[in-house]
Amino acid sequence: MTKKQAPPAGQPRLDTAAVVRAALDLLDDKGAGAMSVRGVAERLGVRMNTVLWHAKTKGRLLELMADAIVAGVDPDGLPGPWRERVRELSHRYRRALLAHRDGALIVAGTYAAEPATLRHADAVLAALLEGGLDEQRAAWTFWSIQYLALGLTQEQQALAAQSGEHSLAGALADGAHPALGRVARHLEGDDFDARFAFALDRLLEQPGAAG
């Protein structure tokens, strides 16, 4: 480590993991809208350039945070049958997103080719390939599951942060959208786990999968 690379003199020596933990604490306390390098530095009691020495940029910090969130997916004790393995991994992924305020928003906003993220992707893809999907179908099914989990969880976390009533019922009160009116109560349902399980089952029932 050269003098130019070292953290500023007189400031605590941190490791990158400590910086990421502080960033996640800030996220949990104040949400994604308050995320900043300055905020993390203040939480740690250091200067901004100390944080940047470890994270380089805010974008890089968000990538590290996203990977730390995905690291919450436990890779052990999975079912043997491939469909059940994909289901379990996908539910664990969603729970990892929900474990942090705005967790889905942070993960969705990054492209983190980091250890935990790669480990999770590899485990899901291995199960899909084992199920008989060809490479393209396995890859696209994996992405479909990711987008489903991220989108639905963002909706759930945004709903939890909102105050006041939903606006959909009021918007449909004039009867101008009768089909929407018929199903509105289902669109506004807050059983996100059931909605996720339903959509996940549809993805895993596609042609081309064996067993």
mmCIF file with all atom_site columns, all heavy atoms in Angstrom, residues 29 104 139 175 182:
data_model
loop_
_atom_site.group_PDB
_atom_site.id
_atom_site.type_symbol
_atom_site.label_atom_id
_atom_site.label_alt_id
_atom_site.label_comp_id
_atom_site.label_asym_id
_atom_site.label_entity_id
_atom_site.label_seq_id
_atom_site.pdbx_PDB_ins_code
_atom_site.Cartn_x
_atom_site.Cartn_y
_atom_site.Cartn_z
_atom_site.occupancy
_atom_site.B_iso_or_equiv
_atom_site.pdbx_formal_charge
_atom_site.auth_seq_id
_atom_site.auth_comp_id
_atom_site.auth_asym_id
_atom_site.auth_atom_id
_atom_site.pdbx_PDB_model_num
ATOM 1  N N   . ASP A 1 29  ? -32.178 2.560   8.212   1.00 0.00 ? 29  ASP A N   1
ATOM 2  C CA  . ASP A 1 29  ? -32.691 3.663   9.031   1.00 0.00 ? 29  ASP A CA  1
ATOM 3  C C   . ASP A 1 29  ? -33.462 4.694   8.215   1.00 0.00 ? 29  ASP A C   1
ATOM 4  O O   . ASP A 1 29  ? -34.521 5.172   8.636   1.00 0.00 ? 29  ASP A O   1
ATOM 5  C CB  . ASP A 1 29  ? -31.534 4.383   9.739   1.00 0.00 ? 29  ASP A CB  1
ATOM 6  C CG  . ASP A 1 29  ? -31.007 3.602   10.926  1.00 0.00 ? 29  ASP A CG  1
ATOM 7  O OD1 . ASP A 1 29  ? -31.651 2.608   11.324  1.00 0.00 ? 29  ASP A OD1 1
ATOM 8  O OD2 . ASP A 1 29  ? -29.938 3.978   11.455  1.00 0.00 ? 29  ASP A OD2 1
ATOM 9  N N   . ALA A 1 104 ? -34.927 -4.361  -2.414  1.00 0.00 ? 104 ALA A N   1
ATOM 10 C CA  . ALA A 1 104 ? -35.152 -4.686  -3.820  1.00 0.00 ? 104 ALA A CA  1
ATOM 11 C C   . ALA A 1 104 ? -34.747 -3.534  -4.731  1.00 0.00 ? 104 ALA A C   1
ATOM 12 O O   . ALA A 1 104 ? -34.214 -3.747  -5.826  1.00 0.00 ? 104 ALA A O   1
ATOM 13 C CB  . ALA A 1 104 ? -36.619 -5.041  -4.045  1.00 0.00 ? 104 ALA A CB  1
ATOM 14 N N   . ALA A 1 139 ? -31.416 -19.497 -19.039 1.00 0.00 ? 139 ALA A N   1
ATOM 15 C CA  . ALA A 1 139 ? -30.983 -18.125 -18.773 1.00 0.00 ? 139 ALA A CA  1
ATOM 16 C C   . ALA A 1 139 ? -32.176 -17.181 -18.697 1.00 0.00 ? 139 ALA A C   1
ATOM 17 O O   . ALA A 1 139 ? -32.274 -16.344 -17.782 1.00 0.00 ? 139 ALA A O   1
ATOM 18 C CB  . ALA A 1 139 ? -30.010 -17.666 -19.854 1.00 0.00 ? 139 ALA A CB  1
ATOM 19 N N   . GLY A 1 175 ? -66.406 3.853   -13.555 1.00 0.00 ? 175 GLY A N   1
ATOM 20 C CA  . GLY A 1 175 ? -66.798 2.715   -14.378 1.00 0.00 ? 175 GLY A CA  1
ATOM 21 C C   . GLY A 1 175 ? -66.248 2.718   -15.784 1.00 0.00 ? 175 GLY A C   1
ATOM 22 O O   . GLY A 1 175 ? -66.659 1.893   -16.616 1.00 0.00 ? 175 GLY A O   1
ATOM 23 N N   . ARG A 1 182 ? -63.439 -5.124  -12.310 1.00 0.00 ? 182 ARG A N   1
ATOM 24 C CA  . ARG A 1 182 ? -63.782 -6.479  -11.881 1.00 0.00 ? 182 ARG A CA  1
ATOM 25 C C   . ARG A 1 182 ? -62.666 -7.156  -11.085 1.00 0.00 ? 182 ARG A C   1
ATOM 26 O O   . ARG A 1 182 ? -62.923 -7.948  -10.184 1.00 0.00 ? 182 ARG A O   1
ATOM 27 C CB  . ARG A 1 182 ? -64.144 -7.350  -13.083 1.00 0.00 ? 182 ARG A CB  1
ATOM 28 C CG  . ARG A 1 182 ? -65.489 -7.031  -13.715 1.00 0.00 ? 182 ARG A CG  1
ATOM 29 C CD  . ARG A 1 182 ? -65.750 -7.914  -14.918 1.00 0.00 ? 182 ARG A CD  1
ATOM 30 N NE  . ARG A 1 182 ? -65.741 -9.340  -14.574 1.00 0.00 ? 182 ARG A NE  1
ATOM 31 C CZ  . ARG A 1 182 ? -65.865 -10.314 -15.484 1.00 0.00 ? 182 ARG A CZ  1
ATOM 32 N NH1 . ARG A 1 182 ? -65.977 -10.008 -16.778 1.00 0.00 ? 182 ARG A NH1 1
ATOM 33 N NH2 . ARG A 1 182 ? -65.863 -11.577 -15.104 1.00 0.00 ? 182 ARG A NH2 1
#
